[in-house]
Amino acid sequence: MDILLFGKPGAGKGTQAPMLAESLGAATLATGDVLRGAVREGTPLGKKAKEYMDRGDLVPDDVILGIVGEALASKPYANGAILDGVVRTVPQAEGLEKVLKSVGRKLDALVYFDIDNEHIVERLSGRTVCEKCQTPYMGRNAGEKCEKCGGTLVRRKDDEPDAVRNRLKVYERQTAPVFDWYRRNGARIVTVDAVGTVSEVTQRARKALGR
Ligand code: AMP
């Protein structure tokens, strides 16, 4: 199954992706995680992406489609992908459609995580992530250790208030139209109320997908 997780930054896509991946037998692909890994390792990809990411702007479409094309043709994604934050512009939606077609698949559903801006700002100001495996945490301080891999928790630079405001603007301007593109193209869209505990939201998403 190939499922696209869609919604504002901070809607909980990154938290829900591994839960849904496990129950659907698919692998998670999060372009933000791939890019942060590249920035940390100082690769050419990371050097190109860093300034966009720090400002909360989008990394160019060709860079994203390169990551997506390579990943989806690889073995870990043979049984499907849970795509987290992967499609943020209409050209990316068109590109993803081509990539999936080239491996004989098409998107099964788009899960829209519905949340208002007030909850987003509150969530992102209290978020830390593991520097190593990228697991997000709420209410844990930077410097503490990750429960999953023992890595150090850090605050994301783009979770600072100015960058969050910019990310929300970028979402409205560039990413929200993607939702209409999928609707016009007849995609199966399920909407999930994203305010609640992690397990409540997972249950809602699974129920909406009929799994
Ligand atoms: P995320 O972890 O999904 O919030 O992504 C963090 C940052 O990585 C974004 O603010 C963008 O700068 C960049 N990024 C991740 N995925 C994409 C994408 N599909 N298109 C453009 N930029 C992206």
Side-chain angles (χ1 to χ4, degrees):
M1 254 191 145
D2 292 288
I3 308 278
L4 182 68
L5 306 188
F6 194 82
K8 292 172 186 167
K13 304 183 293 294
T15 303
Q16 294 300 328
M19 317 284 173
L20 293 173
E22 202 186 331
S23 56
L24 300 173
T28 300
L29 176 62
T31 35
D33 289 352
V34 174
L35 292 168
R36 273 185 295 279
V39 169
R40 205 173 49 242
E41 285 162 23
T43 65
L45 170 66
K47 285 192 182 121
K48 192 164 176 189
K50 187 175 184 318
E51 57 176 300
Y52 296 97
M53 296 176 77
D54 286 350
R55 283 196 305 264
D57 284 337
L58 295 184
V59 170
D61 291 335
D62 58 334
V63 175
I64 299 298
L65 288 171
I67 296 171
V68 173
E70 200 177 311
L72 293 189
S74 72
K75 220 171 163 195
Y77 294 96
N79 289 331
I82 305 296
L83 301 157
D84 161 16
V86 167
V87 175
R88 280 161 134 120
T89 65
V90 169
Q92 289 180 24
E94 291 163 346
L96 173 66
E97 194 177 37
K98 284 195 193 118
V99 169
L100 284 171
K101 202 170 172 191
S102 73
V103 290
R105 311 205 301 250
K106 73 191 267 289
L107 196 70
D108 291 286
L110 178 153
V111 181
Y112 173 60
F113 290 97
D114 190 16
I115 187 167
D116 54 58
N117 287 1
E118 221 170 281
H119 279 101
I120 300 262
V121 174
E122 190 186 305
R123 271 191 191 178
L124 295 186
S125 63
R127 170 164 86 171
T128 49
V129 297
C130 172
E131 184 172 54
K132 215 159 128 197
C133 74
Q134 312 275 335
T135 298
Y137 289 91
M138 295 303 301
R140 301 268 313 270
N141 294 321
E144 291 183 30
K145 296 293 172 202
C146 173
E147 280 161 23
K148 287 196 183 151
C149 76
T152 305
L153 306 191
V154 292
R155 266 192 64 72
R156 278 172 50 169
K157 208 166 174 178
D158 62 352
D159 280 348
E160 298 301 332
D162 279 353
V164 170
R165 271 190 287 276
N166 188 38
R167 284 161 70 201
L168 288 170
K169 271 195 216 143
V170 166
Y171 175 85
E172 291 306 334
R173 201 171 52 228
Q174 288 171 277
T175 306
V178 172
F179 189 80
D180 293 327
W181 185 91
Y182 278 108
R183 204 164 34 197
R184 277 200 312 276
N185 281 274
R188 178 180 172 211
I189 296 179
V190 303
T191 298
V192 170
D193 176 1
V195 181
T197 65
V198 173
S199 63
E200 277 166 356
V201 178
T202 310
Q203 289 315 316
R204 286 176 201 150
R206 287 185 57 182
K207 195 168 165 212
L209 287 167
R211 304 295 284 239

